[in-house]
């Protein structure tokens, strides 16, 4: 069963991407906290590139880099050769964000694959209490061979992710209900 995000968000999937239910044990190992997932329609060597969203309300003292470090450690529990290929703080003081690119090797579908994961951490303030914040992590996971080809779709998706204060939007598709 998908998790719930700590704040409602809205977004629009790039053309062709398909929403899926991230079931652990069905190729979604480590997806216990995922609230939303979508897969690319054309797998690469049997692996479907995917976009996932999860989130948390971190302690007030947590920096985005701390959350990114914790994500790397969690990935090391299920994957081999995890490396932080790039990390950069982006955004503004009012809306900080962090991006990181991880490379790793993992067994999926019984086959060891070289994978790349681009993660973006978005810090969102509570609309009722701006001193409270939630962090949404948006991740793209793809084979090393397909990552650069699907990265523009991920960037397009990121441009549409925003807090949702409208109660008439379903967070699983980003479309009005």
């Amino acid at each position: 069963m998908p998790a719930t995000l700590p704040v409602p968000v809205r977004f629009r999937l790039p053309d062709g991407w398909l929403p899926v239910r991230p079931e652990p044990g069905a190729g979604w190992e480590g997806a216990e906290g995922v609230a939303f997932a979508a897969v690319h329609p054309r797998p690469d060597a049997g692996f479907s590139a995917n976009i996932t969203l999860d989130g948390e309300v971190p302690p007030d003292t947590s920096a985005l880099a701390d959350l990114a470090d914790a994500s790397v450690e969690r990935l090391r529990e299920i994957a081999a050769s995890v490396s932080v290929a790039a990390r950069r703080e982006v955004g503004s003081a009012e809306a900080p964000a962090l991006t990181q690119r991880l490379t790793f090797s993992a067994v999926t579908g019984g086959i060891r694959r070289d994978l790349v994961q681009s993660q973006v951490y978005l810090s969102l303030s509570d609309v009722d209490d701006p001193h409270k914040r939630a962090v949404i992590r948006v991740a793209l996971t793809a084979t090393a061979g397909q990552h650069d080809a699907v990265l523009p779709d991920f960037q397009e998706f990121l441009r549409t992710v925003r807090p949702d204060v409208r109660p008439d939007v379903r967070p699983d598709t980003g479309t009005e209900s």
Side-chain angles (χ1 to χ4, degrees), residues 35-140:
F36 177 83
V39 295
H40 191 267
R42 290 178 300 283
D44 178 41
F47 182 85
S48 294
N50 59 78
I51 295 173
T52 58
L53 279 92
D54 62 58
E56 63 183 288
V57 177
D60 288 337
T61 58
S62 292
L64 292 177
D66 296 335
L67 300 175
D69 288 341
S71 179
V72 170
E73 292 309 312
R74 281 191 307 277
L75 186 56
R76 285 187 173 134
E77 293 173 6
I78 61 170
S81 307
V82 178
S83 176
V84 179
R87 180 181 286 179
R88 181 168 66 118
E89 291 190 24
V90 295
S92 65
E94 297 80 33
L98 180 141
T99 65
Q100 73 178 1
R101 183 177 293 195
L102 309 175
T103 59
F104 58 98
S105 176
V107 175
T108 63
I111 299 169
R112 180 160 300 280
R113 302 173 194 279
D114 291 330
L115 301 173
V116 178
Q117 186 173 84
S118 291
Q119 299 178 341
V120 177
Y121 292 81
L122 305 171
S123 182
L124 304 174
S125 295
D126 185 308
V127 292
D128 296 322
D129 183 357
H131 298 292
K132 291 182 184 176
R133 70 180 176 112
V135 174
I136 303 298
R137 180 178 64 155
V138 187
L140 166 68

Side-chain angles (χ1 to χ4, degrees), residues 7-18:
V7 293
V9 297
R10 53 189 276 211
F11 52 81
R12 182 135 340 265
L13 281 174
D15 289 341
W17 286 74
L18 307 168

